[in-house]
Structures are given as structure tokens and as C-alpha cells.
């Protein structure tokens, strides 16, 4: 029998204001409530300190970025994690000299900063103009050994890439976490990606035989852009998937939520190993993945 290792994971979901103090207070309130429900690892949504400002290309929005060192929200979450004995990945807009990143710090249950991941895939489309603000991440995909589990964290657009999920699990990630900000498409009122969004990540969970946690915001946010007002209604639908891709818990598109699920990582590890998907991989045949157009695969 596999050695039992029980962990309870959590996805939070809430509407953001454009006031840092209000949002961080909300995050702390929900983290405390999640802890009361037995959560060990608690995921807060992407860039939760304020509105999703990437609807616009505005020079003044760079003032929202702060260096990682002595970042007030990170320091506050370190204190909270230590007090409650929980793990908290914290998303923030990072300033690093003249570079800027969409970043996350993973805080362990004793308040230790375990390290930094910078978002690798940066989108650029109507309402989601992140390339104006963020450099491409330079950390590579990372895995963090926390008290409760070895975890991998991707950020929003990273969640659409199976290579990212596989890279983290190859490094030993036992659970995947994806903080997110996604909703309506300003250029197309008829486009609703929520089901597609969920199915893609459920596929990552199933293909890698690991649980997966996704946290998204809710609410309507209006940003003044260079061309007038832009509006996104964020569709929530935060969820937790099991290691076969099954939905364990999910939220709706309107309400604040604290989703929890318990997993036996020892049992899941045994199933993952016996399933054979990592035994039967053929990295020698995957060189095409190192190209952009499928040609020149002799690299």
C-alpha cells in the first residue's frame, strides 16, 4: 500500500476593487476562512491587488509595480502564512530595475519565501494587452517544495500550454496551481471561453495524473483606455480538478467562493507511476517541440 499523504487545497474567488488595501483585506479574510475549513495550500487569483489594468496601455499604470524585496503585500502574506501554518502563492506586478514581470512568490507555512516564478507566456489581444507591461519571464518553469507538497505554479495564459504543465510535473510537481484573470472579450460579446478554459486545464490534470487548482476573479471592471472605456466581466468559475481531470469543486460566475478539496498524494503517486505515462515517454522524438513551425527538427 502507498504511504498516505493527505493535503487539502483551496481556490479563492472574489471581485476586486481598484484599492490595494481593500483587496488585500479581502484576500486575508478569505485565507483565514479557508484555514478554518482545513485548507493547507490556498490559491489567490492573479494580480489581486487591484483591477486587471492590462485592458489599457497606460504609462501611469507602471506605477503599480513594486520590487519583490520588502513588497508590502508579500510581507503581509508571509506573516499570515506563518500565523496560520498555510502555504500561499502570492501574485504581484514586479519591478526589477528596468524590467517588469507578472510574478508569483510561493510562501511556505512558516512564512518563508520559497522563491519566485515569472510568467512565461505573455498574451497580447483586445482587453488583455500584457505585452505592454510585462517582459517574458526568465525563471523557467519551477517547482516549490512546501511543507505539504511539491507544487508547480503557472500564471493565467500559461494554463493554455500543455508543455508548461508537463515541464512542472517532470520536475516533480504533485499539484498544479494557476492564478488567473479571465473573462469576457471586449471585441466579441458572443465569445465565452469559460468551458474551453476549464477543459484545457482538466486535460493537464488528467494527462499528468495530478490535481489542479485554478483561481479566477469575478465582477465587472471598467478601465479608461487611450480609445475610451474598456470593460471586462470576469467569469470566475474557479475550480479544483482531480488527477483524472474530473471536476471536484467549482464556483459560479457571480459569487465569492472558497473551494476546498482533499487529496491523498501518496495514493495519487502510486496511480501515476502505475499508469505508465512517464515510463513510456519518448523525449528523443519530441525535438519538434523546440521549433516554432515544426520544421528544422534536427536541432
Amino acid at each position: 500500500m502507498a504511504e498516505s499523504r493527505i493535503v487539502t487545497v483551496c481556490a479563492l474567488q472574489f471581485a476586486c476593487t481598484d484599492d490595494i488595501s481593500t483587496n488585500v483585506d479581502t484576500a486575508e479574510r478569505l485565507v483565514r476562512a479557508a484555514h478554518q475549513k482545513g485548507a493547507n495550500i490556498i490559491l489567490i487569483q492573479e494580480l489581486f491587488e487591484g483591477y486587471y489594468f492590462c485592458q489599457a496601455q497606460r504609462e501611469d499604470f507602471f506605477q503599480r509595480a513594486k520590487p519583490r524585496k520588502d513588497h508590502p503585500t508579500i510581507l503581509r502574506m508571509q506573516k499570515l502564512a506563518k500565523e496560520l501554518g498555510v502555504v500561499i502563492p502570492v501574485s504581484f506586478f514586479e519591478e526589477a530595475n528596468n524590467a517588469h514581470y507578472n510574478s508569483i512568490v510561493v510562501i511556505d507555512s512558516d512564512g518563508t519565501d520559497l522563491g519566485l516564478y515569472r510568467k512565461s507566456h505573455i498574451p497580447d489581444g483586445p482587453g488583455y494587452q500584457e505585452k505592454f507591461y510585462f517582459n517574458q519571464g526568465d525563471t523557467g518553469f519551477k517547482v516549490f517544495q512546501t511543507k505539504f507538497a511539491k507544487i508547480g505554479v503557472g500564471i493565467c495564459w500559461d494554463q493554455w500550454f500543455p508543455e508548461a504543465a508537463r515541464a512542472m510535473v517532470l520536475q516533480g510537481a504533485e499539484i498544479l496551481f494557476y492564478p488567473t484573470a479571465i473573462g469576457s472579450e471586449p471585441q466579441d460579446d458572443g465569445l465565452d471561453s469559460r468551458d474551453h478554459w476549464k477543459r484545457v486545464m482538466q486535460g493537464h490534470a488528467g494527462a499528468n495524473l495530478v490535481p489542479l487548482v485554478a483561481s479566477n476573479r469575478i465582477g465587472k471592471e471598467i478601465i479608461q483606455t487611450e480609445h475610451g472605456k474598456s470593460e471586462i466581466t470576469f467569469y470566475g468559475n474557479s475550480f479544483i480538478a482531480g488527477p483524472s481531470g474530473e471536476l471536484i469543486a467549482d464556483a459560479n460566475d457571480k459569487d465569492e467562493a472558497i473551494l476546498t478539496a482533499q487529496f491523498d498524494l501518496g495514493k495519487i503517486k502510486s496511480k501515476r507511476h502505475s499508469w505508465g505515462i512517464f515510463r513510456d515517454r519518448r523525449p528523443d522524438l519530441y525535438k519538434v517541440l523546440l521549433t516554432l513551425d515544426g520544421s528544422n527538427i534536427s536541432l
Side-chain angles (χ1 to χ4, degrees):
M1 294 288 291
E3 180 182 352
S4 181
R5 278 199 302 127
I6 305 298
V7 62
T8 299
V9 298
C10 174
L12 303 182
Q13 174 175 296
F14 60 93
C16 290
T17 71
D18 209 26
D19 177 72
I20 294 175
S21 179
T22 299
N23 295 323
V24 177
D25 284 349
T26 299
E28 177 171 336
R29 172 174 59 83
L30 294 177
V31 167
R32 290 185 180 279
H35 171 253
Q36 287 295 314
K37 296 178 72 170
N40 305 124
I41 308 174
I42 303 169
L43 184 64
I44 309 170
Q45 61 219 29
E46 180 187 19
L47 298 173
F48 65 90
E49 289 185 300
Y51 278 167
Y52 178 74
F53 54 88
C54 304
Q55 290 193 60
Q57 295 186 15
R58 284 176 45 176
E59 183 178 321
D60 60 313
F61 282 170
F62 280 98
Q63 296 172 19
R64 296 173 180 243
K66 296 183 181 70
R68 174 189 180 189
K69 182 177 172 58
D70 297 325
H71 190 292
T73 298
I74 294 174
L75 292 175
R76 180 169 171 180
M77 290 298 155
Q78 285 182 277
K79 182 179 179 181
L80 181 63
K82 183 176 182 179
E83 176 192 341
L84 301 179
V86 298
V87 173
I88 310 174
V90 179
S91 171
F92 69 106
F93 183 11
E94 180 192 7
E95 177 185 286
N97 295 323
N98 289 305
H100 295 82
Y101 299 98
N102 188 336
S103 298
I104 202 151
V105 162
V106 175
I107 300 171
D108 207 358
S109 61
D110 62 357
T112 301
D113 177 340
L114 294 178
L116 177 77
Y117 168 69
R118 290 168 169 163
K119 186 172 180 176
S120 300
H121 303 95
I122 309 299
D124 185 28
Y128 301 89
Q129 300 176 71
E130 295 195 16
K131 279 188 168 66
F132 182 76
Y133 298 101
F134 306 130
N135 295 80
Q136 290 182 323
D138 57 1
T139 59
F141 302 110
K142 297 180 71 173
V143 168
F144 303 89
Q145 180 63 68
T146 75
K147 176 182 177 180
F148 303 106
K150 189 177 284 189
I151 67 172
V153 185
I155 302 173
C156 201
W157 192 227
D158 288 334
Q159 66 209 179
W160 294 87
F161 295 85
E163 300 90 342
R166 178 53 55 89
M168 289 186 281
V169 178
L170 281 174
Q171 294 177 77
E174 299 173 291
I175 312 170
L176 296 176
F177 291 84
Y178 290 98
T180 303
I182 190 170
S184 58
E185 304 289 338
Q187 85 285 4
D188 186 350
D189 291 339
L191 179 57
D192 186 340
S193 62
R194 73 186 71 191
D195 291 336
H196 185 187
W197 173 77
K198 292 168 80 169
R199 286 192 297 266
V200 166
M201 283 185 281
Q202 288 176 256
H204 299 336
N208 292 285
L209 276 87
V210 295
L212 185 149
V213 182
S215 171
N216 188 24
R217 66 178 66 196
I218 51 173
K220 181 186 293 186
E221 297 182 12
I222 300 173
I223 297 287
Q224 185 67 44
T225 78
E226 63 275 26
H227 304 297
K229 292 181 179 179
S230 177
E231 176 183 306
I232 292 178
T233 300
F234 293 90
Y235 55 57
N237 277 258
S238 303
F239 70 93
I240 300 171
S244 66
E246 73 278 24
L247 272 179
I248 302 294
D250 61 337
N252 63 27
D253 61 357
K254 293 181 176 63
D255 298 319
E256 195 172 271
I258 302 169
L259 304 178
T260 61
Q262 188 177 87
F263 296 102
D264 185 336
L265 298 183
K267 183 177 180 180
I268 293 171
K269 178 181 178 180
S270 180
K271 175 64 72 174
R272 183 167 58 249
H273 289 181
S274 66
W275 202 251
I277 56 172
F278 289 94
R279 177 196 65 211
D280 297 335
R281 292 183 67 252
R282 291 292 307 276
D284 55 312
L285 302 180
Y286 304 155
K287 291 179 181 179
V288 66
L289 296 179
L290 300 177
T291 73
L292 289 175
D293 64 358
S295 63
N296 191 27
I297 61 175
S298 61
L299 293 172

